[in-house]
Amino acid sequence: MNDVWARALWASGYLLVAFGSGLAMLVALPLTLAVVLTVPIGGIGFMLLPHWLGAMGRFAAWHQGQASRLLGVPVPDLPGAEVPGFRALWREPSTRRVLLWMPVFAVVSLPVGLLGLGAVAMPLSAAQFPFWWAAPEGQEFQFLWFPADSWGTALTTMAVQLVLGFVLLRWVVVRAAKAHARLNLRLLAPTEAELLAARVDELSRTRADVVDAHGAELRRIERDLHDGTQARLVSIAMQLGVAREALAEDPKLAALLKNAHEGTEEAMTELREVIRGIYPPILADRGLAGALSALVARTTVATRLDVGELGTLPVAAETAAYFVVTEAVTNAVRHSTAQEIDVRLERVGGVLRVSVRDDGAGGVDESRGSGVTGIRRRVAALDGTVRVDSPAGGPTVVDVELPCGS
């Protein structure tokens, strides 16, 4: 029973707040119209309107939170609620929802707020009727236009008010508050399309963070292997070489040392290949432009490299670009009988564009393991795009776009 009355009092408080907010909204609506009308007047509205809409958005979000607490249901965040700038804020679906919510909220909140006000006021008002006799001359207590001019009418009026207040609190107020709260949530709730778009944006950001963290971790592993494990293997190989020369007189021991020495050198070779596959050390030492210059210098086919101003690139994008160029150039050298290869990199806004063109025979068939499949997978991990144009007879052009915005 206590829970019933606690919910009734909570609902009454909710409706009283809604009543006050509804009165405030009656003032805010013409002010909103006035602010909108200032847009063509000297551009004042371009400064005022974003702040005003932001304030109205926060006001709506607060009432949305109150409604969600009353109903005990979670409420998704409004996508785009913090979008800066006049045009972006004006085009946001959340702005249109708030503008639609404002007049509806004002119209609905006043009558339901009066219910809450009446439910609270009636029991308090009833307490004055036993003192009808003490009213000054010419003043009388009334309820619904019925005056209390005797003990009978006073007690009857008091009982009627108490019963009405009880009925309102027990059966009406809670239902009215919940209906008002549901209407608030329905008007302010983002659509499924907006929630999906917000989820996609969140996943894109988190995936980019994961890829960057993964790239940084690979870089750390490469550094640890290069500076730690590989250095120890080199030291062991040198010591085995010295011991092999010193014990050359003992054939059995010399053979064992020879096998150990050669096995160590093979392990170092394999480790270097692993390190290059994890994160090329030259990228850490010379950056993307320097690493590609070294690649071009090692290529047996004439290769031209054109690198624009790239700025600071994310580790993941830098690594992916290096492997894209390496794979594309390797394919051209091995399979296309190309005589010339052109490599171009440029950064346009938040996109790194990589293009590799060769004058070979063309006719790239990805189903036969041309290496393009690996390029596509690596680029797809960063939400990039790959376009391959390779008609029979050539040329072959691999164009890649990698997002690298901050």
Side-chain angles (χ1 to χ4, degrees), residues 3-137:
D3 291 341
V4 173
W5 290 108
R7 286 196 297 270
L9 292 176
W10 189 9
S12 299
Y14 174 88
L15 292 180
L16 289 176
V17 171
F19 181 73
S21 297
L23 292 175
M25 190 58 68
L26 290 179
V27 178
L29 284 171
L31 286 178
T32 302
L33 180 60
V35 172
V36 171
L37 292 177
T38 61
V39 172
I41 304 175
I44 300 176
F46 287 101
M47 296 182 292
L48 292 179
L49 193 57
H51 295 289
W52 181 256
L53 291 179
M56 291 297 98
R58 290 188 291 273
F59 185 68
W62 185 82
H63 277 282
Q64 188 185 35
Q66 294 295 105
S68 69
R69 282 189 286 274
L70 179 70
L71 297 175
V73 296
V75 176
D77 293 333
L78 294 176
E82 302 298 330
V83 176
F86 175 82
R87 291 185 179 180
L89 186 62
W90 186 254
R91 293 175 180 174
E92 270 299 307
S94 59
T95 302
R96 294 193 291 270
R97 283 196 301 271
V98 170
L99 291 176
L100 174 63
W101 169 82
M102 290 171 65
V104 176
F105 177 81
V107 171
V108 174
S109 296
L110 294 179
V112 297
L114 286 175
L115 284 177
L117 183 62
V120 174
M122 281 186 181
L124 298 177
S125 175
Q128 68 180 335
F129 282 90
F131 302 97
W132 63 274
W133 53 270
E137 187 70 24

Side-chain angles (χ1 to χ4, degrees), residues 219 280-295 297-298 318:
R219 191 170 182 173
I282 195 170
L283 269 180
D285 297 336
R286 300 176 59 179
L288 181 57
L292 293 179
S293 297
L295 172 67
R298 296 194 306 267
E318 186 180 63

